[in-house]
Amino acid sequence: MRKLQIIGMLLVMLVVLSACQNGLLNAEQQSVDKIVLHQMKSFGEVKENSRVEVTDE
């Protein structure tokens, strides 16, 4: 009975992880025009006037 529970949990984890991978694959296929970067003061707090846009291919 214990083996059946372990196999069931492994199958559930496999399904969840494969669902997460689908989103990553779709993100790689999209093109990006620019990337916007901000310097952070601390977690969740953006430093003023630190915005940088990168458009170089």
Side-chain angles (χ1 to χ4, degrees):
M1 189 68 178
R2 182 80 175 150
K3 284 185 182 181
L4 187 60
Q5 290 176 339
I6 292 173
I7 291 173
M9 284 297 278
L10 289 174
L11 287 174
V12 169
M13 289 173 52
L14 180 67
V15 169
V16 169
L17 290 175
S18 66
C20 293
Q21 290 296 323
N22 287 337
L24 293 175
L25 293 175
N26 291 336
E28 291 175 3
Q29 295 172 355
Q30 297 176 357
S31 64
V32 177
D33 295 329
K34 67 179 177 181
I35 297 174
V36 179
L37 304 172
H38 294 275
Q39 188 175 6
M40 306 296 289
K41 283 184 178 181
S42 64
F43 185 77
E45 187 178 356
V46 177
K47 186 175 179 180
E48 290 186 34
N49 301 324
S50 66
R51 178 182 170 131
V52 176
E53 291 186 8
V54 179
T55 57
D56 189 14
E57 292 182 13

